[in-house]
Amino acid sequence: MYDPPSRILDVDCADGGIPVIDFSIPNVDVLKHQINEACSTWGFFQLINHGIDASLIASFKEAMRDFFSLPYETKIKLKRNSVNSRGYFDDELTKRRRDWKECLDVGMPGSGDWDVLDGDQSNSCLDGYNQFPSSSDCPEFRDVVVKYFTECARLSDKLARLMALSLGVQEGSEDAKLLDRMIQNHTSYLRLNFYPPCTVESGRNEQKSTEEQPPPLGISPHRDAGFLTIFLQDENCHSLQVARFEDEDNKDDDANWVTVHPIPDSLTINTGDMAMIWSNGRFRAPLHRVLTASDKMRYSAPFFYNPGYSEFVSPLSCSTEGDGGLMTQPAVYKPCLWGYFRALRFAGDLTDLGVEIQTSHFRMDSDSDHAERQMILMKEAGFQEPFDVEKYRQVLEK
């Protein structure tokens, strides 16, 4: 079993051992060391003094509550579908099991310009296009969400560059150019979550569960697909848990899960699958899950910082080439096309496709054919139009 240390050198830890990093530390060397340690052990840390204005966060939280309090008939008009991953939904599958939550996904416009009308053709991309509630239903909602989204992208770029420095990436190098392309072409999205109270009886009735099969989780155990995640937790209901192990053998043993208790005014950061490939396995993309609560409603918002759809994410050359030093080792992963990885994850979330794309499929020692299939999808689909799950089902299920 994976057992991270209870305390990481030079990093404060919250209860359970989750590292806490102060982003206002003036010494970059200390900061990058702390981030490296956190990303390579837990894959999670809490960030304080992160630089996003508290008043903006308060306005964003209020906007979330306003949206989810709308009548169901209003929200369902914004329902996402097989050709648009963005919008409202309450039927997502994680590991082919329905989650107990409502969500609204908002992503970077295809045009890269928030001033362009959301439904304009230039905003079309693999993930579709944004669907916001009307200003009469939710006044100022779009403006507040866009401002918070923009601040999360800015913070993500800062974190990614410190992660790179911690791995020995030099400014201006070929390795650093991925980060330059990512901030220019990122395909990030922000998810607004609402978790209603869930009693054992109501959960079993909704999911047709039995005494032998427990009621649903808020979100089943999973790893985030992108580069990194900035997570705004609900300080009044602590339900996010991170695994203390690498594989899924012990995922049903509650003793192997650690609850992330949010520090007031902090943001929770975790590394994703693309950072794991990029770091050649040094950084950890941890399993995590969200519990339901029987007596509390909960709001949260993860921001997923993702590369451009056409970006091939590969292990850093500084970690696979050189003089054989401590950080140098043969490449563990093959190049992974983000647009392909993202398309399969969305297909798995939306439908019972039976395809669970993972970083393990891109390991050098894997006999998976995903590295070849991604090239087929790239030629057939392109990423300038919304991805159609049914249209490309045959390619995905081969």
Side-chain angles (χ1 to χ4, degrees), residues 149-294:
F149 185 106
T150 302
E151 286 299 295
C152 285
R154 177 193 58 80
L155 178 57
S156 296
D157 180 54
K158 289 184 177 180
L159 288 167
R161 292 183 187 278
L162 284 166
M163 291 162 67
L165 288 173
S166 80
L167 293 170
V169 175
Q170 301 298 315
E171 289 287 347
S173 67
E174 285 300 315
D175 283 336
K177 290 180 180 178
L178 168 66
L179 304 182
D180 296 334
R181 292 192 299 271
M182 190 149 59
I183 191 58
Q184 292 296 322
N185 305 312
H186 70 94
T187 59
S188 309
Y189 67 99
L190 174 65
R191 173 165 291 176
L192 284 62
N193 290 323
F194 169 59
Y195 299 91
C198 177
T199 64
V200 172
E201 182 178 357
S202 65
R204 286 203 174 112
N205 289 340
E206 178 72 19
Q207 299 277 342
K208 298 181 175 59
S209 303
T210 65
E211 291 295 333
E212 291 73 29
Q213 182 182 2
L217 290 166
I219 306 178
S220 296
H222 67 287
R223 294 178 173 88
D224 290 348
F227 194 87
L228 65 84
T229 303
I230 296 176
F231 191 45
L232 179 62
Q233 289 191 253
D234 191 326
E235 295 176 4
N236 298 315
C237 185
H238 305 170
S239 302
L240 173 65
Q241 294 188 319
V242 59
R244 295 177 64 90
F245 51 88
E246 288 292 345
D247 55 36
E248 299 188 34
D249 292 343
N250 300 309
K251 70 178 182 180
D252 295 322
D253 185 349
D254 287 342
N256 292 318
W257 293 91
V258 176
T259 300
V260 183
H261 297 284
I263 296 171
D265 302 319
S266 70
L267 294 169
T268 301
I269 314 298
N270 70 272
T271 45
D273 287 334
M274 294 302 104
M276 188 172 179
I277 291 176
W278 173 76
S279 67
N280 205 30
R282 276 185 67 89
F283 290 162
R284 178 176 181 239
L287 272 174
H288 51 288
R289 68 182 186 181
V290 176
L291 304 179
T292 51
S294 61

Side-chain angles (χ1 to χ4, degrees), residues 266-331:
S266 70
L267 294 169
T268 301
I269 314 298
N270 70 272
T271 45
D273 287 334
M274 294 302 104
M276 188 172 179
I277 291 176
W278 173 76
S279 67
N280 205 30
R282 276 185 67 89
F283 290 162
R284 178 176 181 239
L287 272 174
H288 51 288
R289 68 182 186 181
V290 176
L291 304 179
T292 51
S294 61
D295 58 346
K296 291 182 179 180
M297 60 181 64
R298 174 175 172 266
Y299 301 88
S300 67
F303 174 85
F304 302 101
Y305 190 53
N306 300 329
Y309 297 123
S310 299
E311 189 71 54
F312 282 89
V313 179
S314 304
L316 292 164
S317 62
C318 68
S319 70
T320 60
E321 302 171 2
D323 60 5
L326 180 63
M327 291 179 59
T328 306
Q329 60 178 332

